[in-house]
Amino acid sequence: MRNRKGSTIVMTLIVFTVLMIFGISILNLMVNENKMSLYHQYKTQAYYIARAGAEAVEAAILEMDEEELEKLNEKLEDNNKVDVEEILIGEGKAKEELIKEDNVLTIKSIGEVKGVKNILSKIMKEELRKGKTKIDYAIFSSGDIKLGNGTIEGNIGTNHSVIVANGNPNLNGDIYLTEKGNLSAPDWWEKSWVKTHYIKSGKEIHYESIKFPSFPINNSNIDLIQGGSNQTTISTSKDYNKFEVNANTKIYIDNTKEDIILKIKQFNLNNGHIILLGNNKLTIYVENMVIGSGSTINYEGNQKNTNVFYYGASRLIISGNQKLFANLYINNSELELGGSGSIVGNVYSNGGNIFLSGNSDITKGLIYAPKTDINFTGSGKAYGAVIGKTVNISGGGKVVYDPNYVDNSIIGGESTEKILFKPSHYK
């Protein structure tokens, strides 16, 4: 027994050591299991944060208007990649990256929680979008824009060249050119102007001629000739051979119950006045027309309610204090707006040249004549926008862009732009 003294202590130490090793192993296993559990938890959270970030970016893209989408496309075309600011979501964050290849936009989203990351991709497909031709220029022409003097408030653009020939034009806006375009201007003017504005490059824009209806059949031999103190009220649509209003006489159009259509072979206003009584539309189809000094159509009325279609070949002259609160459609002839002549409304032309001179003006409207040369001389003014084949501004002419007065609803043709993205799937 004396030879076995101390064996119990040895056995105890051995057992204690084994138990300690076993305990440490279990503890390490538990710690590792806990770490793995937290890792998977954070990984899952990071996945949902990445997903939330991708969906937030997708929602923002879907809510973008055309201008914002164009800017995004420009950035993607320059670099094929756009970084988005970090999005904080709960205890984590999402880092977003937009990548565009061909017609596919990929939202690469990296979710992160406590250093654990998860990555996923959301695919958005680009689609062709067809819509009405956009007008966002004070002046746009397919050919030259010649700025001698005058003032332009808004951007100008052309498919070919912008020429500032002489004088000192005041351009408060940017210039948009295609690869074919160039700016020809005195150095002193260009240096002064470029301080606050820019020359930008873009794609060609093509504005189509409007679809002008054929002159409706009119076999009438009825003449309406009024003058002096005579007054007439027209309450139904009618055809006239000759329609003449003289000597400050008023013709009332009772359009309170229905739209009124007048088809007239020869329309003469010699200091005569056409007055609307209601809010329905008045449409006048005119084969030949002469508007004398002091004449008015729908004076101070809503110009949207009145449309005048002119089919004559001779130049239409509005240059003696005439006031037209109407949309004017010109099929073949030239238009001369001078003196104190005024059109409150749109002018659409498929015809010859347009001349604005004297103190004439077109207010609250659009001059839309993509196949026509437009010339501003004297103090001719336009408020809205001007679309022409060429545009020449000299003297004190003025063009002010105002989108509130630009109505492109009847313009023919459609523009096709790759600026619309549709949600698709996760990758």
Side-chain angles (χ1 to χ4, degrees), residues 137-181:
Y137 298 93
I139 298 174
F140 189 91
S141 76
S142 56
D144 294 343
I145 298 175
K146 296 183 179 180
L147 306 177
N149 280 299
T151 300
I152 300 92
E153 296 285 345
N155 300 329
I156 65 175
T158 176
N159 288 334
H160 297 296
S161 62
V162 174
I163 301 174
V164 180
N166 50 48
N168 186 16
N170 180 17
L171 173 58
N172 185 20
D174 298 331
I175 289 178
Y176 290 81
L177 299 171
T178 65
E179 294 179 355
K180 300 177 182 177

Side-chain angles (χ1 to χ4, degrees), residues 38 52 71 89 130 155 163 174 222 247 314 322 380 408 419 421:
L38 287 174
K71 290 180 179 178
I89 302 174
K130 292 185 177 181
N155 300 329
I163 301 174
D174 298 331
I222 298 175
S314 59
Q322 300 97 328
N408 65 347
I419 58 170
F421 292 102

Side-chain angles (χ1 to χ4, degrees), residues 206-223:
H206 298 283
Y207 292 101
E208 301 295 330
S209 298
I210 64 170
K211 295 178 181 179
F212 211 91
S214 300
F215 185 76
I217 296 174
N218 177 8
N219 296 320
S220 175
N221 292 317
I222 298 175
D223 293 342

Side-chain angles (χ1 to χ4, degrees), residues 302-413:
N302 185 348
Q303 69 273 13
K304 294 181 179 180
N305 292 343
T306 305
N307 297 306
V308 179
F309 290 83
Y310 176 56
Y311 295 81
S314 59
R315 178 184 289 189
L316 180 60
I317 301 174
I318 302 174
S319 62
N321 198 32
Q322 300 97 328
K323 307 293 182 185
L324 275 66
F325 283 66
N327 297 315
L328 178 62
Y329 298 76
I330 302 173
N331 191 31
N332 297 310
S333 77
E334 294 182 335
L335 171 65
E336 180 181 336
L337 188 62
S340 297
S342 176
I343 298 175
V344 179
N346 302 307
V347 173
Y348 304 101
S349 176
N350 290 337
N353 295 344
I354 295 177
F355 302 91
L356 288 89
S357 61
N359 195 35
S360 63
D361 62 73
I362 294 177
T363 61
K364 300 182 181 179
L366 164 69
I367 302 179
Y368 186 83
K371 309 299 182 184
T372 299
D373 297 327
I374 302 173
N375 300 279
F376 288 77
T377 59
S379 300
K381 298 179 289 297
Y383 299 86
V386 175
I387 307 296
K389 178 182 177 183
T390 65
V391 179
N392 183 7
I393 297 182
S394 59
K398 186 175 185 178
V399 177
V400 178
Y401 175 70
D402 191 330
N404 296 316
Y405 300 147
V406 175
D407 179 9
N408 65 347
S409 61
I410 65 96
I411 294 173

Side-chain angles (χ1 to χ4, degrees), residues 259-316:
D259 294 344
I260 302 295
I261 298 175
L262 302 180
K263 292 179 282 185
I264 305 170
K265 293 180 183 178
Q266 181 63 50
F267 185 26
N268 298 332
L269 279 180
N270 301 315
N271 193 23
H273 309 283
I274 307 296
I275 300 172
L276 276 62
L277 300 178
N279 294 318
N280 289 303
K281 288 187 180 298
L282 168 65
T283 302
I284 304 175
Y285 296 98
V286 181
E287 193 167 349
N288 293 291
M289 179 164 61
V290 176
I291 302 179
S293 178
S295 299
T296 64
I297 296 178
N298 190 28
Y299 182 61
E300 293 188 346
N302 185 348
Q303 69 273 13
K304 294 181 179 180
N305 292 343
T306 305
N307 297 306
V308 179
F309 290 83
Y310 176 56
Y311 295 81
S314 59
R315 178 184 289 189
L316 180 60

Side-chain angles (χ1 to χ4, degrees), residues 45-62:
Q45 289 178 345
Y47 168 80
Y48 285 107
I49 285 174
R51 190 181 179 105
E55 290 179 356
V57 172
E58 179 188 68
I61 292 173
L62 293 175

